[in-house]
Amino acid sequence: MKKLRCDKPYDIDEARKRKGLPRRKRKDTRATAYELTIRIPGEYRAYFDGKKKLTRTVFALNKKDDLKSQVEAFEAEKNDALERKLEERGWRAARDEGEPTICNTPFGDYVQRYIDIRSNGAVGSETLRNERNYTRYVKATLAEIPICDLTSSDIENCLLAVPDLSRQWAEEKRAVQEENRKAADWCKRSHRSLKPLAPIRVAGPDLQSKILKFVREVLNYAVEKEDIPKNVAKAKFLTRLFKKSKPLIDPLMPDEAARFLRAVEALPIGFLKLALLLLLNTGMRPEEMQAIRPGNFIFDENETVVKITSVVKDKGTEIVDYPKSDSSRRSVPIDSYTAEVAKQWIAMKRQMLAEAGLRLTMNTPLIGPLDLPYTYKTFHTYWEEFCRKSGFEGVRPYALRHTFATLNLANGENIKTVSVLLGHKSSAYTLDLYAGYVPMTGVGLGERYMNFLRTSDKAA
């Protein structure tokens, strides 16, 4: 437990004298008034009704003894109150000198408290939603183990149980869905046959890796609070066993990409044509494409640039500033054909809005009806229809981003340039993903190198 400490006492009499105010009334006129302040760390504020600091006014005859003893009494009182609150949650102070403090709180309760603390607005709603999902798995396997007794083997068992728990919960949810579908009034009235539900998805290495990262964050928090001596989730064998899998790389081959482009060019001017051209021509993510607005385009005679600064959230109903790293905010050049399609669609969109009594602004979404962006689910419906008609069934929208990356690298574009255009944090990450698509430039290098040396020798 971190001890609460008092700030330097504030001389109230001196402050009132500077303002021309009289001294406060007191029993002993020889005493000086001081204000004592204890600032409460964020993790302990819940025990003091959310207060950020505690204050008390005292009167002291001298600083050396009287004021010092009152400061120590104030600190002792508040530390005792904090200790009592912590003991209620399982924390136990050292009984003997030299014995380390430990926390007996069940790990499930400790994780829940960690989530509650982070729910005060410090993190986004999506992050909290994910962490609550991770907490389900932690509570199902580690809930009753005191945090001080938790071992790396316990964490390993928790992670190994993730696929089985995921399947179990998915099957239980499926059973409920099936019962609800059978009892649906509209189904009874229309006598229509129900379409089968989508196949059950079972969590795998990616979720195991995320849960491991989450448990490490919780235990780091516990170490910082001195509730436990070390973070057992940092064991090397856990890192080795539960690695995050690499993203699926499924680009179109050059001839397929050319055929895809011809199919897009054959489309009439509209949001779908612009969306597909942007995905293919810039390598932007689908959620970035959904957030494109007129203000993102910088039209120029030499080269048009599209600025990628926003994404959609809440299933695609709201456009927000990019929540990732600064490297994700970038400008990507586009070809003249895509720029012309963008101009024409902006003009058509302006006319459509005017007919509906609305006005086009620089912040009006282009990929959507009137003044709202399409959700990803709606866009994906149009995508599947286009792919079905053009012979690209099974292709993901994200495949166009991989196509942009792999074909540019195969054409000899600099890895750093491609990395910046994709919005990756570092070119090392880009190289790690697309190493197999970088052309081999070492063929004939030895011959070229030696010829260069011989030519240099002759020149000298």
Side-chain angles (χ1 to χ4, degrees):
M1 182 188 82
K2 295 179 181 178
K3 293 291 185 181
L4 301 179
R5 298 297 182 190
C6 187
D7 292 351
K8 181 179 179 180
Y10 178 70
D11 192 329
I12 297 176
D13 289 343
E14 182 66 27
R16 292 179 67 85
K17 182 178 179 181
R18 288 198 301 269
K19 294 179 181 179
L21 299 174
R23 299 176 76 200
R24 290 184 178 181
K25 291 183 179 180
R26 63 206 70 190
K27 292 181 179 180
D28 190 339
T29 57
R30 296 173 301 167
T32 303
Y34 294 94
E35 183 177 82
L36 308 182
T37 302
I38 293 179
R39 301 183 188 278
I40 307 173
E43 62 267 28
Y44 295 148
R45 289 172 188 168
Y47 302 130
F48 294 97
D49 300 324
K51 294 179 181 178
K52 295 183 178 179
K53 62 182 180 179
L54 304 171
T55 59
R56 174 177 293 176
T57 301
V58 299
F59 299 92
L61 293 173
N62 57 71
K63 287 184 177 182
K64 185 175 181 181
D65 297 318
D66 195 6
L67 179 59
K68 183 179 179 181
S69 64
Q70 293 193 64
V71 168
E72 291 174 350
F74 184 42
E75 292 177 342
E77 177 187 337
K78 298 307 177 184
N79 278 306
D80 288 344
L82 175 60
E83 188 172 324
R84 286 194 301 272
K85 293 288 186 180
L86 288 172
E87 285 177 350
E88 292 174 7
R89 300 193 63 93
W91 184 89
R92 192 196 68 178
R95 304 304 183 202
D96 301 321
E97 182 135 5
E99 180 188 354
T101 60
I102 61 173
C103 180
N104 289 321
T105 304
F107 190 55
D109 293 345
Y110 201 96
V111 170
Q112 186 59 54
R113 179 169 174 269
Y114 176 77
I115 294 290
D116 293 342
I117 291 173
R118 288 166 64 81
S119 301
N120 62 1
V123 296
S125 58
E126 186 174 349
T127 300
L128 280 175
R129 186 165 56 250
N130 290 334
E131 290 184 349
R132 289 191 179 104
N133 181 43
Y134 307 151
T135 302
R136 292 177 64 206
Y137 293 92
V138 172
K139 286 186 174 181
T141 52
L142 306 174
E144 302 303 323
I145 302 176
I147 189 172
C148 59
D149 295 333
L150 194 68
T151 66
S152 54
S153 296
D154 295 328
I155 297 171
E156 179 188 21
N157 292 334
C158 169
L159 299 176
L160 291 174
V162 167
D164 291 337
L165 289 172
S166 174
R167 181 178 295 280
Q168 175 189 334
W169 292 337
E171 289 175 348
E172 291 173 356
K173 183 178 179 181
R174 172 60 56 85
V176 174
Q177 290 175 335
E178 291 289 359
E179 288 299 320
N180 291 339
R181 281 156 60 91
K182 291 176 183 178
D185 291 339
W186 66 267
C187 182
K188 292 178 180 178
R189 288 195 303 268
S190 60
H191 302 288
R192 294 175 60 182
S193 59
L194 294 170
K195 294 181 180 179
L197 294 171
I200 289 177
R201 297 177 62 185
V202 179
D206 281 349
L207 185 59
Q208 289 173 317
S209 175
K210 290 175 181 177
I211 292 174
L212 174 59
K213 181 180 178 182
F214 172 66
V215 171
R216 283 175 172 168
E217 290 174 355
V218 175
L219 294 180
N220 276 338
Y221 168 77
V223 171
E224 290 173 3
K225 284 188 58 186
E226 300 178 2
D227 285 343
I228 55 175
K230 68 175 182 177
N231 188 340
V232 295
K234 289 186 176 181
K236 291 183 179 179
F237 80 92
L238 292 175
T239 304
R240 186 174 64 255
L241 290 177
F242 301 102
K243 292 180 180 179
K244 184 178 179 180
S245 60
K246 290 184 179 181
L248 172 65
I249 307 298
D250 54 350
L252 300 176
M253 293 297 102
D255 57 330
E256 293 176 322
R259 186 161 58 87
F260 188 93
L261 177 58
R262 287 197 301 271
V264 174
E265 291 175 338
L267 291 172
I269 298 296
F271 83 90
L272 182 61
K273 184 170 186 173
L274 177 60
L276 298 180
L277 284 173
L278 289 175
L279 289 175
L280 182 64
N281 190 19
T282 66
M284 65 174 63
R285 302 174 179 90
E287 62 269 25
E288 296 169 339
M289 172 273 298
Q290 292 172 260
I292 288 297
R293 295 165 287 188
N296 293 111
F297 290 96
I298 302 176
F299 295 104
D300 190 88
E301 294 181 358
N302 298 322
E303 186 176 56
T304 298
V305 172
V306 57
K307 297 187 297 180
I308 302 173
T309 59
S310 307
V311 293
V312 293
K313 74 170 189 176
D314 292 337
K315 298 182 180 179
T317 58
E318 182 184 357
I319 297 177
V320 297
D321 287 340
Y322 216 106
K324 285 193 173 184
S325 60
D326 289 339
S327 58
S328 295
R329 299 181 181 91
R330 59 200 188 277
S331 297
V332 183
I334 59 176
D335 68 307
S336 57
Y337 179 81
T338 304
E340 186 60 31
V341 170
K343 286 181 181 179
Q344 293 182 33
W345 173 237
I346 291 173
M348 291 177 63
K349 183 95 174 183
R350 179 179 285 109
Q351 184 177 352
M352 291 166 57
L353 289 170
E355 292 173 356
L358 301 171
R359 185 170 63 90
L360 180 78
T361 68
M362 290 292 101
N363 291 322
T364 301
L366 292 178
I367 313 300
L370 298 180
D371 57 346
L372 292 173
Y374 274 131
T375 64
Y376 182 77
K377 185 176 181 180
T378 302
F379 167 74
H380 201 268
T381 301
Y382 287 100
W383 167 272
E384 288 183 330
E385 180 66 14
F386 168 79
C387 289
R388 184 184 62 79
K389 290 181 178 179
S390 54
F392 287 93
E393 290 92 344
V395 175
R396 304 183 305 150
Y398 220 91
L400 299 186
R401 176 174 170 83
H402 298 312
T403 302
F404 174 85
T406 57
L407 295 188
N408 273 302
L409 290 172
N411 288 334
E413 293 293 342
N414 184 277
I415 185 73
K416 181 64 176 177
T417 301
V418 175
S419 179
V420 170
L421 295 180
L422 290 173
H424 287 165
K425 193 172 183 179
S426 70
S427 54
Y429 179 75
T430 310
L431 183 61
D432 186 43
L433 285 181
Y434 302 109
Y437 297 91
V438 178
M440 177 59 182
T441 58
V443 177
L445 184 145
E447 193 70 29
R448 293 195 301 274
Y449 175 62
M450 296 304 288
N451 288 340
F452 169 76
L453 293 181
R454 294 187 180 98
T455 305
S456 299
D457 183 53
K458 292 178 181 178

